Amino acid sequence: MTISQPVSQLGSHEVFNQPEPQRAMDLWRQDRALREHAIAAGARGEHLAQVGGKWGGETLRQAAEDARRDVPRLKTFDRSGRRVDEVEFHPGYHAVMQAGLEAGYASAAWDGKAGGHATHAVLTYYMAQLEPGVACPLTMTYAAVPALRHQPDLAAVWTPLLTSGVYDPSTTPIATKRGATLGMAMTEKQGGSDVRANTTRASKDGAAYRLNGHKWFCSASMCDGFLTLAQAAGGLTCFLVPRWLEGERNGIQIQRLKDKLGNKANASSEIEYHNALAYRVGAEGAGVRTIIEMVHHTRLDTVLAPAGLMRAAIQEAHWWVSSRSAFQKRLIDQPLMRAVLADLAVDTEAALSVGMFLASAFDRDDAESRALARIGVALAKYLNNKRCIGVIAEAMEMLGGMGYVEETPMPMLYREAPLNGIWEGSGNVICLDVLRALMKEPMAGEVLMTVLSSMTGSDARYDAALKAHMARWPGFPTEAEARWFVESLAVLLTAASLMKSAPSAVAEGYVGSRVAGDRGVFPGAVRGMDVDAIIERLG
């Protein structure tokens, strides 16, 4: 029998004007803005080019999809009734974890080579496009390294394993492992972000401690250990709690996995400590000051992750409108569609630009750069994550009904969009943190104003906005105005980063619309942008 036509073209079911799914892409070579901002920040381009090709490939993309669709399962007991408190994952999860660690996600920043944090930042941006849930244990492992420096004896054991670049998911004591991951368990039901309200207790047991209490959120509950906070005799203290001891499990019980809106591949959980053995990190009573080192570095990732999510959404939208026609014209050729696409592209590149600018500050080991990184990540975290939700929603709308279908990446990206705005401090917490930093660390404000002032003379609209900000808030704002104040500073900082490293079409488009406010309320309600030049950077 001869088949005269493809099976997709039988009878009335001929398929046309329906773009084929993107099964593979090159996350480095197909992202011109990334290449320019990453190189300007000192990232390791050759390495990132290799990783970008692999992580955008069909094999790893399928593994990521499998990890999301076949979600983690909690195994509380074995068949004999013994507690095991383990989470089982699809092999795709382990494949993506292995790819992340082997590429240097947790280790590049600490290997002593130039551009480590900038390289890590790009890997975070990549992972947000591939599988955001896996980013959680990877980010925590990266960020634990500076916190452990407060306890050199622990750092000597754990840091080589955290930075080994080896993924070892075996449930065995740390002494037998080739590589390790480290999570975090800070918040409790009654306090949330107010960790000083924690009630978990720590009692001395020789050189170690025993912990008893409940943790409302434990990130990545199959990590080899957790940095946690508990009340010791000297006050709230940071501890490292290993999951395994020699020959036995530690007293950590997983109560349940969180049924979250998104981030499905990551097994966030509630746990209880039952006389769990723990080791102090830093001095008693210095828990917040110790663990803030970890939080500070995780916040860098909460700046880059929304940039990656936005990039994934706009890349999908750009591919769709370039391949689909309506009313006898390609969607990409229709002026209104181009205006919306260009406007979203500006937000996306702006988020990447300020993220890479701050990553380069993490790489410079001087007091001014550390102060800039401290205040800058809080500002950029706030703005990037507020922008992210709207950008992804508009990109989803560009696909029409297909954007609401799970076979496209848009629903996953939309569910992920709010996460980084909540994780490591929600909007109000971040705004209050910015005020505290400016009040308690004068250098942070001084360095920030130096950066903002350095770009005066580049664009009169930027100069006017900076002058207006200073006139409106000659001192510190009231708490009720903290969001307005932080938004204004974050927009100015982002504009400064763009004027330093982005082409004029993008920088001027951002300043005119976001800084000067010459726009309507919603994406696409703009004028005066060099739409063609901005869209040209997407492909």
Side-chain angles (χ1 to χ4, degrees):
M1 182 178 68
T2 301
I3 299 176
S4 60
Q5 55 185 335
V7 293
S8 63
Q9 297 181 16
L10 292 177
S12 63
H13 199 67
E14 181 180 354
V15 178
F16 62 95
N17 197 28
Q18 186 73 214
E20 287 289 332
Q22 299 181 95
R23 302 191 183 281
M25 62 188 70
D26 191 314
L27 301 178
W28 177 261
R29 292 182 174 85
Q30 291 178 236
D31 193 340
R32 179 177 169 185
L34 170 64
R35 295 195 305 273
E36 294 177 4
H37 291 291
I39 296 304
R44 303 167 195 170
E46 184 176 345
H47 174 66
L48 292 168
Q50 294 173 350
V51 176
K54 180 180 178 181
W55 286 19
E58 186 171 357
T59 299
L60 208 56
R61 283 163 62 89
Q62 185 60 56
E65 179 68 18
D66 292 341
R68 288 189 290 271
R69 291 195 179 278
D70 191 351
V71 298
R73 293 182 294 274
L74 174 60
K75 183 179 180 181
T76 310
F77 298 93
D78 68 11
R79 60 177 287 175
S80 302
R82 299 179 182 88
R83 286 201 73 111
V84 292
D85 294 289
E86 293 181 3
V87 179
E88 297 175 339
F89 297 92
H90 187 279
Y93 173 90
H94 297 297
V96 180
M97 281 289 293
Q98 180 175 343
L101 288 171
E102 287 181 349
Y105 192 115
S107 57
W110 316 116
D111 63 12
K113 300 176 185 177
H117 286 285
T119 301
H120 164 82
V122 176
L123 295 173
T124 302
Y125 176 82
Y126 282 168
M127 190 59 76
Q129 299 173 62
L130 176 63
E131 175 28 56
V134 173
C136 181
L138 295 174
T139 287
M140 295 296 178
T141 301
Y142 148 76
V145 172
L148 288 176
R149 291 172 180 164
H150 289 269
Q151 201 67 35
D153 58 332
L154 289 177
V157 174
W158 283 81
T159 299
L161 294 169
L162 299 178
T163 60
S164 68
V166 173
Y167 179 51
D168 181 354
S170 61
T171 51
T172 54
I174 194 71
T176 66
K177 302 200 67 156
R178 298 175 297 119
T181 56
L182 206 58
M184 182 192 290
M186 283 208 301
T187 59
E188 299 182 7
K189 291 191 290 286
Q190 72 282 353
S193 295
D194 182 10
V195 294
R196 295 188 186 279
N198 284 5
T199 60
T200 297
R201 309 302 302 181
S203 304
K204 286 281 289 182
D205 182 2
Y209 291 75
R210 295 286 177 174
L211 268 54
N212 287 278
H214 182 275
K215 290 296 178 180
W216 190 229
F217 271 92
C218 174
S219 64
S221 49
M222 292 308 286
C223 287
D224 296 291
F226 309 96
L227 288 182
T228 195
L229 294 175
Q231 300 287 355
L236 191 65
T237 303
C238 181
F239 295 94
L240 191 159
V241 187
R243 193 158 61 87
W244 268 84
L245 306 177
E246 291 296 332
E248 62 178 345
R249 291 174 172 84
N250 204 356
I252 306 170
Q253 294 185 359
I254 303 176
Q255 301 304 301
R256 62 171 175 166
L257 301 185
K258 296 288 193 181
D259 187 7
K260 298 166 294 184
L261 171 67
N263 214 243
K264 295 293 188 179
N266 181 38
S268 305
S269 66
E270 293 174 38
I271 65 171
E272 284 186 358
Y273 296 130
H274 290 271
N275 220 30
L277 187 71
Y279 301 98
R280 180 170 49 81
V281 182
E284 280 197 6
V288 173
R289 188 165 65 250
T290 301
I291 209 165
I292 202 68
E293 292 281 359
M294 188 176 192
V295 173
H296 175 54
H297 286 79
T298 59
R299 282 184 179 172
L300 176 63
D301 288 17
T302 64
V303 172
L304 272 302
L309 295 173
M310 286 188 269
R311 168 63 190 179
I314 200 170
Q315 198 278 337
E316 185 76 12
H318 182 230
W319 162 82
W320 180 270
V321 301
S322 298
S323 308
R324 188 169 170 85
S325 299
F327 309 111
Q328 292 77 53
K329 293 176 65 177
R330 283 197 316 158
L331 293 176
I332 189 67
D333 295 328
Q334 300 191 23
L336 188 54
M337 183 63 77
R338 293 180 70 78
V340 176
L341 187 62
D343 200 18
L344 299 181
V346 166
D347 268 335
T348 302
E349 184 163 348
L352 172 64
S353 172
V354 72
M356 295 310 303
F357 174 70
L358 293 170
S360 69
F362 274 74
D363 275 322
R364 297 191 299 273
D365 189 21
D366 58 78
E368 290 79 8
S369 296
R370 288 193 293 271
L372 175 61
R374 165 71 178 90
I375 193 69
V377 289
L379 294 171
K381 177 189 185 312
Y382 180 80
L383 184 64
N384 283 8
N385 286 291
K386 294 300 182 188
R387 299 281 198 208
C388 183
I389 299 170
V391 167
I392 292 177
E394 288 286 347
M396 176 187 288
E397 189 175 320
M398 286 183 170
L399 273 67
M402 280 303 297
Y404 208 64
V405 174
E406 292 287 351
E407 290 172 300
T408 76
M410 293 308 202
M412 180 275 287
L413 295 170
Y414 189 66
R415 287 191 294 268
E416 294 290 337
L419 174 65
N420 291 281
I422 299 169
W423 186 33
E424 305 302 13
S426 57
N428 285 356
V429 172
I430 291 297
C431 290
L432 295 176
D433 183 60
V434 168
L435 297 189
R436 279 194 299 272
L438 292 174
M439 291 176 185
K440 294 183 177 181
E441 304 172 37
M443 182 181 287
E446 294 167 5
V447 173
L448 177 62
M449 290 312 301
T450 297
V451 170
L452 299 182
S453 299
S454 70
M455 299 313 298
T456 55
S458 302
D459 191 309
R461 297 167 298 181
Y462 172 87
D463 296 353
L466 180 58
K467 184 177 180 180
H469 175 91
M470 299 301 295
R472 185 177 301 279
W473 293 290
F476 296 112
T478 64
E479 183 177 311
E481 286 191 356
R483 281 196 174 214
W484 190 2
F485 175 78
V486 167
E487 178 185 320
S488 177
L489 279 178
V491 168
L492 289 166
L493 177 61
T494 302
S497 77
L498 285 167
M499 289 190 286
K500 286 177 181 293
S501 61
S504 60
V506 178
E508 291 173 8
Y510 187 89
V511 171
S513 57
R514 277 70 172 169
V515 177
D518 187 14
R519 62 170 298 163
V521 174
F522 303 113
V526 293
R527 65 178 181 182
M529 282 189 181
D530 189 344
V531 169
D532 293 344
I534 293 169
I535 291 178
E536 191 270 334
R537 291 175 64 74
L538 291 176

